[in-house]
Amino acid sequence: MVEEQSLVTALKSQDLREKAFRELITTYKERLYWHIRKIVLNHDDADDVLQNTFIKVFRNIDKFQGESKLYTWMYRIATNESITFINKKAKKLQVTSEEVQQAALSNLKEDVYFEGSEIQLKLQRAIASLPQKQQLVFNMKYFDDITYEELSTILDTSVGGLKSSYHIAVKKITTFLENDETF
């Protein structure tokens, strides 16, 4: 993987920015896509949010102070873009963001880009039953193995609060799966 500091320096340089940005996209697009996809659930929506994320990264790279890892900073942008996308979609459809999530979940099985098994679909239903913050914490901790310290930076929440959210999310998912008649 690219040495992060030299990539950031190149991104902030007018002469090297374009090449460095292509390198940034190549390095991080897949990881960011899957993070976004776990939030919005739909492939096309995830592609749109990923594109918006990279546009924001490009426009705001000069504001990156290096107080966190570059990836953590981009992860936060991707998370915020995903939530904004869901909220805008909900407002446009005049429904709640939870209803948007449930509709995306209902369409997941028909999604040609979803390669999950029946068990994975049930896990996604269990995750979708959680409040949005618990969904984010669970997905990032369980699937992406992000540390609580990085989560704290991404979600702007205390480590203790995140540990509690994760613990509660795991309990709720376990209960959901135990009580799921089709499981």
Side-chain angles (χ1 to χ4, degrees):
M1 202 185 264
V2 182
E3 213 286 330
E4 192 171 284
Q5 190 52 49
S6 60
L7 180 60
V8 171
T9 302
L11 285 164
K12 291 183 176 187
S13 161
Q14 282 303 114
D15 297 338
L16 304 173
R17 179 175 279 176
E18 194 174 312
K19 182 177 185 277
F21 194 69
R22 280 196 302 272
E23 199 170 308
L24 176 96
I25 290 172
T26 301
T27 304
Y28 294 108
K29 71 179 175 189
E30 188 172 340
R31 286 171 64 197
L32 284 173
Y33 168 84
W34 285 109
H35 169 62
I36 293 165
R37 177 73 187 265
K38 286 182 214 110
I39 299 170
V40 300
L41 299 176
N42 175 282
H43 167 73
D44 292 332
D45 291 348
D47 274 348
D48 290 345
V49 174
L50 181 63
Q51 183 175 3
N52 291 343
T53 298
F54 279 121
I55 289 169
K56 268 216 167 127
V57 167
F58 186 79
R59 288 184 179 156
N60 294 295
I61 192 65
D62 291 329
K63 295 176 187 170
F64 177 68
Q65 301 296 312
E67 294 167 1
S68 66
K69 292 180 184 175
L70 177 63
Y71 182 70
T72 303
W73 181 70
M74 292 190 311
Y75 220 88
R76 184 175 184 159
I77 292 171
T79 301
N80 291 337
E81 284 297 304
S82 299
I83 292 167
T84 299
F85 178 86
I86 290 169
N87 291 339
K88 281 183 180 177
K89 194 170 186 176
K91 188 175 182 180
K92 182 179 174 185
L93 298 172
Q94 297 181 332
V95 296
T96 66
S97 56
E98 290 79 16
E99 288 172 304
V100 169
Q101 289 285 83
Q102 288 301 321
L105 184 61
S106 297
N107 295 328
L108 194 57
K109 198 170 189 176
E110 285 76 43
D111 187 338
V112 295
Y113 295 100
F114 180 73
E115 298 174 352
S117 66
E118 196 63 36
I119 291 171
Q120 289 167 317
L121 198 54
K122 288 172 186 167
L123 178 59
Q124 288 303 316
R125 279 204 320 267
I127 294 168
S129 73
L130 299 171
Q132 188 174 59
K133 185 174 181 181
Q134 287 177 6
Q135 287 180 32
L136 292 171
V137 172
F138 181 82
N139 279 328
M140 287 189 261
K141 185 74 184 131
Y142 183 80
F143 291 111
D144 301 333
D145 201 28
I146 294 184
T147 67
Y148 285 114
E149 288 73 22
E150 289 174 311
L151 277 173
S152 178
T153 302
I154 294 166
L155 298 175
D156 198 24
T157 305
S158 72
V159 170
L162 291 166
K163 287 180 179 180
S164 176
S165 287
Y166 182 74
H167 180 73
I168 292 167
V170 169
K171 279 187 171 252
K172 286 181 179 178
I173 289 170
T174 302
T175 301
F176 182 96
L177 294 174
E178 288 172 351
N179 295 328
D180 186 5
E181 297 296 318
T182 61
F183 194 64

